[in-house]
Amino acid sequence: MIEFIDEFFNYITAVGPTKLLRIFWFFVFFEFARFFIFELAVLLVWKIREPQRKERYDNARRRLFIERPLVSIIVPGKNEGKHIYKLANSLKEQSYTNFELIVIDDGSDDDTERICKSLQKNGFIDLFLRNDVRGGKASAANLGYRFSKGKIIVHLDADCSYDSDAIEKIIVPFYLDEDIGAVGGNILVRNYKESLCATLQAIEYSDTISAGRITSSYLGIYRLVSGAFGAFTKDALDRVGGWDIGPGLDGDITVKLRKLGYKIVFEPDAVCQTNVPNTFKKLVKQRLRWDKSIVRFRVRKHRDVFYPNATFRFSNFISSLENITYNILLNIKWWIYMIDMAVNYTSLLGFIFPFNILLYTTNNFLKFLVFSLFRKRKNASIVYFIPYLPCMVFYFGFYLRFVRSVAYVQEFFFKKSYDDSWNPSKSSSHAKKLGI
């Protein structure tokens, strides 16, 4: 082993920087430069300007509590009755109290209807609505939205938990800028100790998702308001007509709002904790759904953001281009890189792949430790996650890439998102006919 390491580093020293760049071009240009250097630069500027934001934020918060608008919290879902009491009870502890809680049952076949009617009778929820026949999450969300009375609509998932100031934090940004149409909350992983799969996702959510969304929001290209915790103005939802059928309805409605000229922002201090898939088999199912939706909505449904028409906006063009480039095209480039190395550097593969693993592992440590300086709210000590960081190179570099590749092939060539059991088949068939 020692001889191998010595020979390895002697080779690296001998070939020089130009040859090294040729061999490790994928990491240098697409991983390190984009996901560490660029994001770090943006985060530093964001942090430096924090005092300016705080003054504006305090003024916005003051205006919010002077007006105290009614907020409608809608919670759509199927078979979520077991979570509703805990959610409703926890919402009573929110720092912002002028809200109505609307729970929508999307054709549950358990005790959800009985539980929710009892909770409504006892004042834990304000309105219970039910689709007798399951229509899908978009159908349930739209039903709640139609019956809502609030100036702001907050969409929650029943099985999540929220910080006591989460509702306040997610609606303050609407008083920062009247052009803001939606605000995304910060999602952390609650069950991070449950399994290796959950722990790796917790690291992913902290670095790739939270830090990435701060960066994209600051640059004005934030592209996805999570259904687990997102807020919308009633006027904005009226203009887009609510949610279209998913999967991928979160990203879809975000793009629809952006196309109408609304600003979409991320609020890192509005914290929601969710349970993520605790096995890699369950995670595959989730990520296939997520990744297929990128093709379905970004590449097909909303391809008009690339057209130079009267409604063209450069920020929307960049938002979608960045999303497609660093998800779909970058994934293709990774396969090109693998083929390039196999064909042109066959004799050096024994050096190249170990060094790639070393580079990615070092990068993962750097990202996690440095980006942690920008996170106010953490769901665990940094020390807890450090032993798991070496696994991230296999999680990000191989497992998720392979899942994405499968999803893209399924959606590009077979439109498999319309066959996903996440929606009723009749709803998906109708959406396929309409091309949505």
Side-chain angles (χ1 to χ4, degrees):
M1 176 61 75
I2 295 175
E3 291 180 3
F4 174 82
I5 294 173
D6 287 341
E7 186 180 352
F8 180 58
F9 282 100
N10 287 336
Y11 172 78
I12 291 173
T13 304
V15 297
T18 303
K19 185 70 174 291
L20 281 178
L21 192 63
R22 167 67 182 90
I23 295 174
F24 300 108
W25 60 268
F26 187 87
F27 171 80
V28 173
F29 293 115
F30 297 108
E31 295 287 351
F32 186 70
R34 165 61 181 87
F35 292 111
F36 181 69
I37 297 298
F38 178 74
E39 286 194 0
L40 178 59
V42 176
L43 287 170
L44 284 170
V45 175
W46 174 78
K47 190 67 175 178
I48 290 169
R49 295 187 176 179
E50 190 172 36
Q52 297 172 307
R53 292 199 308 276
K54 186 178 186 307
E55 183 177 351
R56 291 182 62 239
Y57 185 92
D58 290 342
N59 289 332
R61 183 178 183 276
R62 194 175 300 113
R63 290 196 298 273
L64 166 66
F65 279 93
I66 290 172
E67 181 182 337
R68 295 192 77 250
L70 177 65
V71 173
S72 296
I73 299 176
I74 63 172
V75 187
K78 181 185 181 212
N79 293 342
E80 298 285 6
K82 58 185 177 292
H83 302 297
I84 299 300
Y85 171 74
K86 186 176 180 180
L87 174 65
N89 199 42
S90 69
L91 289 176
K92 290 182 180 294
E93 300 175 1
Q94 286 293 315
S95 58
Y96 190 84
T97 57
N98 190 27
F99 63 82
E100 60 174 354
L101 177 58
I102 303 173
V103 177
I104 310 96
D105 176 15
D106 187 33
S108 294
D109 50 20
D110 63 357
D111 291 332
T112 294
E113 182 178 13
R114 179 182 58 80
I115 292 169
C116 289
K117 284 184 175 178
S118 175
L119 290 173
Q120 182 178 19
K121 182 179 179 180
N122 288 282
F124 283 89
I125 62 179
D126 297 289
L127 180 62
F128 171 67
L129 302 168
R130 174 175 166 83
N131 285 330
D132 289 328
V133 178
R134 181 180 172 228
K137 194 166 187 178
S139 172
N142 287 331
L143 180 60
Y145 145 66
R146 286 196 297 271
F147 279 86
S148 64
K149 300 174 184 175
K151 179 180 178 180
I152 297 170
I153 313 295
V154 177
H155 186 295
L156 304 184
D157 278 352
D159 60 347
C160 295
S161 55
Y162 302 85
D163 282 7
S164 59
D165 60 356
I167 301 300
E168 172 193 327
K169 295 288 189 182
I170 205 166
I171 61 179
V172 167
F174 293 114
Y175 288 81
L176 286 168
D177 188 336
E178 63 182 11
D179 291 330
I180 291 175
V183 182
N186 190 6
I187 314 298
L188 301 180
V189 174
R190 181 172 54 200
N191 62 329
Y192 62 91
K193 291 184 177 180
E194 198 169 315
S195 66
L196 174 63
C197 181
T199 303
L200 298 182
Q201 287 172 84
I203 298 171
E204 176 192 10
Y205 274 56
S206 294
D207 285 351
T208 307
I209 295 180
S210 291
R213 289 180 180 179
I214 290 173
T215 301
S216 62
S217 179
Y218 189 74
L219 294 174
I221 59 173
Y222 178 47
R223 58 182 179 266
L224 191 146
V225 175
S226 173
F229 193 26
F232 308 82
T233 64
K234 183 70 177 296
D235 289 344
L237 285 180
D238 286 342
R239 289 190 63 190
V240 297
W243 287 266
D244 285 347
I245 189 171
L249 68 166
D250 305 338
D252 176 51
I253 196 169
T254 305
V255 177
K256 290 200 298 180
L257 289 168
R258 291 185 63 94
K259 285 161 72 173
L260 288 176
Y262 288 104
K263 295 178 181 178
I264 314 296
V265 299
F266 175 67
E267 179 46 67
D269 292 334
V271 176
C272 157
Q273 296 209 51
T274 187
N275 285 342
V276 296
N278 58 5
T279 68
F280 288 104
K281 183 178 180 180
K282 293 177 183 176
L283 182 58
V284 166
K285 187 175 180 180
Q286 181 199 67
R287 295 308 173 93
L288 284 174
R289 185 171 69 244
W290 287 8
D291 293 328
K292 282 184 284 191
S293 71
I294 293 175
V295 177
R296 177 169 164 180
F297 293 109
R298 294 285 178 174
V299 177
R300 288 203 294 261
K301 181 178 179 181
H302 293 297
R303 62 183 180 275
D304 58 328
V305 299
F306 299 109
Y307 299 165
N309 52 35
T311 60
F312 177 85
R313 289 181 174 83
F314 188 68
S315 60
N316 292 343
F317 172 86
I318 294 297
S319 178
S320 288
L321 182 64
E322 195 265 353
N323 192 206
I324 292 170
T325 298
Y326 280 94
N327 283 278
I328 300 175
L329 297 182
L330 192 62
N331 211 62
I332 296 172
K333 283 179 180 291
W334 183 78
W335 287 104
I336 292 173
Y337 172 75
M338 297 290 282
I339 295 169
D340 177 29
M341 293 300 104
V343 171
N344 296 310
Y345 297 95
T346 308
S347 62
L348 298 177
L349 291 180
F351 292 115
I352 292 171
F353 285 109
F355 195 64
N356 259 311
I357 290 173
L358 176 64
L359 286 173
Y360 278 91
T361 301
T362 303
N363 188 48
N364 288 334
F365 270 93
L366 274 174
K367 282 179 62 181
F368 186 77
L369 295 175
V370 173
F371 287 2
S372 68
L373 301 174
F374 300 92
R375 294 194 298 270
K376 295 180 183 177
R377 179 72 160 78
K378 304 177 182 68
N379 54 359
S381 167
I382 294 173
V383 176
Y384 177 84
F385 293 109
I386 287 178
Y388 297 96
L389 289 174
C391 299
M392 294 302 292
V393 64
F394 302 101
Y395 174 74
F396 275 131
F398 297 96
Y399 174 78
L400 289 185
R401 286 194 195 281
F402 182 76
V403 172
R404 281 197 294 268
S405 299
V406 172
Y408 298 153
V409 170
Q410 288 182 342
E411 190 61 21
F412 269 118
F413 297 103
F414 306 104
K415 297 186 177 180
K416 296 294 288 184
S417 64
Y418 294 103
D419 299 328
D420 199 304
S421 60
W422 194 80
N423 274 317
S425 58
K426 67 180 191 306
S427 299
S428 291
S429 297
H430 186 60
K432 191 173 184 179
K433 290 178 182 177
L434 295 176
I436 60 175

